[in-house]
Amino acid sequence: MENAGYRKLNVYIKAHELTKAIYKVTKKFPEDELFGLISQMRRCAVSVPANITEGYGRRTLADKLQFYYIARGSLNELEYYLDLSKDLSYLSAADYQELYSLRNDVGRLLNGFIRSIK
């Protein structure tokens, strides 16, 4: 795959790691959250590396940035869902700290990546 260069990006690798972690932890959430919080958290998490991938394949800088900004918005939305999950006691303190730290790492990498291509 010629356009698979995105797989080498640290931001993509870390975002993919975050997505897998979100899927793993949400398996422990109450079943009645399947179409609520679980679905929303997974959709946000998946959106981050998916939009990085799509942006990477775009030709113009404006198109690339649009998708990277969408990824950043999804990351911010996920931050709220992490806070809510902790407040509802769906996440242990350790899981929350691990996910929040991972989310912040992705955010730093994404912001740096955006700055580097501008």
Side-chain angles (χ1 to χ4, degrees):
M1 297 182 78
E2 188 159 327
N3 196 22
Y6 66 86
R7 288 189 180 113
K8 297 176 184 173
L9 298 172
N10 287 335
V11 66
Y12 169 82
I13 292 166
K14 193 62 95 167
H16 183 64
E17 184 182 324
L18 174 61
T19 301
K20 293 187 298 183
I22 291 294
Y23 267 77
K24 181 180 176 183
V25 78
T26 55
K27 285 182 180 182
K28 302 179 218 172
F29 281 27
E31 191 175 313
D32 65 337
E33 286 291 354
L34 184 59
F35 299 107
L37 197 51
I38 294 170
S39 176
Q40 287 298 108
M41 288 180 76
R42 288 177 175 185
R43 287 173 51 163
C44 284
V46 166
S47 176
V48 178
N51 277 290
I52 291 168
T53 301
E54 188 161 356
Y56 187 87
R58 295 296 172 138
R59 292 191 83 150
T60 69
L61 178 59
D63 284 347
K64 289 177 181 294
L65 287 171
Q66 177 183 356
F67 286 96
Y68 300 149
Y69 291 148
I70 292 168
R72 188 164 61 187
S74 294
L75 197 58
N76 290 336
E77 186 177 350
L78 181 60
E79 182 177 359
Y80 169 71
Y81 295 137
L82 290 173
D83 291 343
L84 178 61
S85 298
K86 178 187 65 131
D87 291 347
L88 295 172
S89 299
Y90 295 165
L91 286 176
S92 69
D95 283 341
Y96 173 80
Q97 188 56 47
E98 178 183 336
L99 292 169
Y100 198 82
S101 177
L102 191 51
R103 179 250 169 254
N104 285 342
D105 290 346
V106 173
R108 278 191 295 280
L109 288 169
L110 185 55
N111 286 332
F113 183 66
I114 290 169
R115 277 193 307 276
S116 77
I117 66 163
K118 278 186 166 180

